[in-house]
């Protein structure tokens, strides 16, 4: 080889390799992944590159070998070493928390989130664990469009959604309404809902009347229970202790003990069981001697699930039990005897709640039906109020005899429902379903001692793929209510695929809520209340319109997911409480005409290696009947919300840091003032809520969680409105018992 040839060969060897193309595909959908971050590392430099809308990436000239690593919010990181310039295709499987999440709420059959015509938000088991959430109240604490309300006397916690009250938010467990003292699924006490056997939460905002009937006017929160596990035997237990403000110790704060045992009895049979004790010693705060700002609450909860499964079907029985005791201790009072001796006493109250639920469910597929689901359930809820005089010297207790001092309320519901899916050609699926509900309510505060309502419904929906990117889902539900006759409820959902990971959803739905038995037949008279039901109430009806956009794009050097949601709700004949026209000392339930909400919320998520960030903002407007009476009043009063979740995984230490933040803006409303009946503007002040947790793996079986709640130490919110209510502290609204700290120790044991 002559000298010239040698020079040419050396030059070719030294020239960097030419550009090559990489393609990144979604394994399930077989489509390119757009805006995937690809980090390419040479010895002398590092490049941050992005795939195009089809998932393609043209690499520049490089000095091989090079190292590449991917980053995307919905896909796990992929690492590879390229040793030469050759075209290559990679397949990535979406994470479980991506749009591929399998959801069931409102679906014909379990399917991925990206294919759902509904906007479904999920809270995973991992998030529940990382937060140290024991009850549903704690799991929903920093969600946008949700507000938690507290009742100090009876320990109640309820949630509103999209500015609509808790009476219109339906709480479900595996699609079956949760019975409570306020009704069948609506206005449920979140503090009575245990999360330890819950696999995930699915939240759908907007009317879900087609699938779930009355009371789902604002939306549903569906708790999906755990039904599957991998090992033959799983045993897990934990203890958790938390301070109540500055009050700490064995006889103060909150203490939780939990035990779960899951066992595969055979290839077809499995059993999951759980028992938990929640012991809240109350919070004294600045309350006088013997009394509490937050009353002590003791709960014992248990659940059992027995499952039979074959390749085509599964049948399971689920039983749950709750026993709760709330104690309200009164102030000491002097009681001097004729001999001059003082026998001080106090008037105490207890609230004892018991709930037993039995549910039998079958689901699967057959030669005729592509998918079917059937359930039968019975729920029995009882609540006993007892008022008694207690001698503080010898401990003797005597029941008082005042009106309303002793009361036993019962709520029993038999429910059955089912749905099936049929395919009509390759582009259309039809769902047919039914639901029946028999409610029986009894007690001294119910007219005639007992009342009941029966409801029978049939419904149908169709999913029609008009175009590969366009899906329509019209639906209708026909309901016969024993007290209010027939209702025909339509709905329509539209989903359009802008690209493989970007979707646009449009929804319209009618909502319907029949007055509860309590609202119709309540008779509550004691020293603080004179409230009467109204059998002439009309049902609430509503119109809902929603628009949702889920989009993925690059921001700087990071892939970002954005979720934008707009909504409008108009409720006719909303039910509220007003004075009796002939008795200003008494109140009754009335239809107060129209109520409207209007809002937008935006949420963004991004991940960078071990750092995860989720940010959100909402702006919700509310309009009540008073705003329609005067053109000078603002039509909507708006309230802002902000939230954030920041997590960082310290792999070397086996620990994860989580921060949860929410800003809840001032909640304003118009009300009729006590002086001259003038319309006035009032509201509940705004506040900031911050939580922090550190999840530390000690060993393969042991884990520790350290956390702090309500770091800004906010206890009461000033209320310049129409008053704080009978169970509040005057012109303030209770939020929390202050900053608290907790520690949780978990143990997990598995057998093959």
């Amino acid at each position: 080889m002559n000298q010239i040839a040698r020079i040419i060969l050396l030059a070719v060897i030294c020239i960097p390799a030419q550009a090559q193309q990489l393609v990144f595909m979604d394994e399930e959908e077989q489509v390119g992944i757009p805006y995937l971050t690809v980090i390419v590392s040479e010895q002398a430099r590092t490049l941050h590159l992005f795939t195009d809308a089809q998932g393609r990436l043209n690499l520049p000239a490089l000095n091989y070998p090079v190292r590449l690593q991917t980053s995307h919010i919905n896909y796990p990181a992929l690492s590879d070493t390229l040793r030469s310039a050759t075209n290559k295709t990679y397949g990535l499987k979406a994470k479980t928390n991506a749009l591929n999440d399998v959801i069931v709420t409102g679906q014909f059959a379990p399917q991925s989130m990206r294919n759902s015509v509904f906007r479904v938000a999920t809270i995973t088991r991992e998030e529940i664990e990382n937060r140290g959430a024991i009850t549903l109240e704690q799991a929903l604490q920093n969600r946008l469009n949700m507000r938690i309300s507290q009742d100090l006397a009876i320990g109640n916690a309820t949630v509103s959604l999209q500015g609509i009250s808790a009476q219109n938010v339906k709480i479900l467990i595996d699609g079956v309404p949760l019975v409570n003292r306020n009704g069948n699924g609506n206005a449920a006490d979140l503090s009575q809902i245990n999360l330890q056997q819950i696999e995930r939460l699915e939240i759908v905002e907007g009317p879900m009347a087609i699938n779930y009937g009355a009371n789902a006017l604002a939306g549903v929160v569906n708790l999906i229970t755990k039904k599957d596990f991998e090992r033959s035997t799983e045993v897990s237990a934990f203890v958790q202790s938390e301070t109540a403000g500055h009050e700490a110790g064995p006889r103060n704060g909150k203490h939780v003990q939990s035990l779960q045992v899951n066992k595969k009895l055979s290839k077809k049979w499995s059993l999951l069981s759980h028992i938990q004790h929640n012991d809240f010693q109350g919070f004294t705060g600045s309350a006088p001697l013997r009394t509490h700002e937050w009353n002590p609450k003791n709960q014992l909860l248990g659940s059992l699930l027995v499952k039979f499964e074959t390749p085509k079907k599964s049948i399971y029985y689920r039983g749950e039990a709750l026993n709760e005791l709330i104690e309200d201790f009164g102030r000491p009072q002097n009681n001097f005897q004729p001999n001059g001796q003082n026998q001080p006493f106090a008037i105490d109250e207890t609230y004892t709640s018991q709930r037993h639920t039995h549910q039998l469910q079958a689901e699967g597929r057959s030669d005729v039906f592509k998918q079917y689901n059937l359930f039968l359930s019975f729920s029995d809820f009882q609540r006993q109020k007892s008022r008694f005089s207690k001698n503080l010297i010898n401990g003797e207790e005597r029941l008082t005899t005042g009106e309303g001092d002793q009361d036993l309320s019962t709520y029993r519901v038999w429910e059955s429902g089912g749905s099936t899916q049929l395919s009509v050609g390759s582009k259309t699926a039809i769902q047919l379903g039914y639901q029946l509900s028999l409610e029986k309510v009894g007690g001294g505060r119910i007219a005639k001692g007992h009342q009941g309502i029966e409801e029978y419904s049939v419904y149908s929906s169709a999913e029609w793929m008009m175009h590969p990117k366009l899906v329509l889902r019209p639906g209708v539900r026909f309901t016969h209510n024993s007290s209010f006759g027939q209702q025909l409820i339509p709905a329509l959902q539209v989903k359009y695929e802008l690209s493989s990971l970007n979707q646009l959803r449009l929804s319209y739905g009618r909502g319907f809520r029949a007055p509860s038995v309590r609202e119709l037949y309540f008779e509550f008279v004691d020293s603080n209340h004179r409230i009467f039901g109204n059998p002439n109430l009309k049902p609430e009806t509503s119109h809902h319109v929603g628009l949702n956009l889920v989009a993925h794009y690059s921001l700087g050097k990071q892939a970002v997911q954005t979720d934008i949601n707009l909504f409008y709700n108009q409720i006719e004949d909303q039910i509220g409480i007003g004075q009796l026209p002939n008795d200003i000392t008494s109140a009754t339930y009335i239809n107060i005409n129209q109520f409207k909400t209007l809002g937008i919320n935006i949420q963004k998520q991004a991940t960078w290696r071990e750092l995860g960030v989720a940010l959100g903002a909402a702006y919700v407007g509310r309009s009540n009947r008073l705003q329609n009476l005067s053109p000078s009043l603002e039509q909507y009063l708006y309230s802002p919300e902000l939230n954030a979740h920041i997590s960082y995984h310290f792999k070397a230490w086996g620990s994860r840091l989580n921060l949860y933040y929410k800003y809840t803006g001032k909640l304003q409303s118009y009300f009729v003032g006590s002086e001259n009946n003038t319309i006035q503007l009032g509201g509940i002040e705004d506040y900031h809520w911050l939580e922090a947790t550190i999840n530390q793996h000690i060993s393969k079986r042991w884990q520790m969680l350290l956390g702090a709640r309500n770091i800004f130490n906010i206890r009461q919110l000033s209320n310049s409105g129409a008053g704080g209510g009978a169970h509040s502290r005057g012109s303030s609204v209770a939020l929390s018992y202050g900053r608290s700290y907790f520690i949780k120790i978990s143990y997990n044991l598995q057998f093959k």
Side-chain angles (χ1 to χ4, degrees), residues 247 252 282-288 291-294 715:
E247 299 172 11
N252 294 289
F283 175 66
T284 302
S286 57
T291 62
H292 294 79
E293 287 190 13
W294 291 72
R715 290 167 52 184

Side-chain angles (χ1 to χ4, degrees), residues 563-579:
D563 186 323
I564 303 174
N565 192 52
L566 296 94
F567 61 87
Y568 170 79
N569 296 287
Q570 178 176 310
I571 303 174
E572 304 289 344
D573 296 316
Q574 186 189 39
I575 298 172
I577 293 181
Q579 290 181 345

Side-chain angles (χ1 to χ4, degrees), residues 343-467:
Q343 292 282 326
F345 73 99
I347 302 299
D348 293 349
E349 291 182 347
T350 61
Y351 302 87
T352 303
S353 299
Q354 292 183 336
R355 179 172 58 222
H356 299 90
T357 302
H358 306 274
Q359 179 181 336
L360 187 64
Q361 192 155 353
E363 56 188 29
R365 61 185 187 276
S366 67
D367 295 335
V368 179
F369 303 116
K370 186 176 180 181
Q371 187 79 22
Y372 66 84
N373 187 302
L374 301 168
F375 76 86
L376 175 65
S377 72
F378 169 69
S379 299
D380 182 5
F381 184 90
Q382 298 185 34
R383 183 172 179 272
Q384 173 75 57
K385 174 195 173 184
S386 297
R387 184 180 174 92
F388 51 90
S389 173
K390 182 171 183 177
N391 187 309
L392 300 181
I393 299 298
N394 58 27
E396 180 182 348
E397 298 177 352
R398 293 183 180 181
L399 295 177
T400 59
T401 57
E403 187 175 18
D405 285 359
Q406 318 301 325
D407 178 66
L408 174 63
S409 300
T410 62
Y411 204 110
R412 295 182 175 91
V413 177
W414 291 261
E415 192 128 11
S416 178
S419 64
T420 185
Q421 178 186 352
L422 304 172
S423 295
V424 182
S426 60
K427 296 183 178 181
T428 305
I430 296 176
Q431 183 187 52
L432 303 173
Y434 81 94
Q435 189 172 356
L436 62 89
S437 177
L438 310 176
E439 304 178 20
K440 300 294 182 182
V441 182
R445 295 175 178 174
I446 299 297
K448 299 181 181 180
H450 60 87
Q451 298 288 341
I453 292 180
E454 301 177 4
E455 190 169 283
Y456 307 89
S457 302
V458 292
Y459 59 91
S460 179
S461 298
E463 284 197 4
W464 176 30
M465 184 177 290
M466 291 184 61
H467 182 273

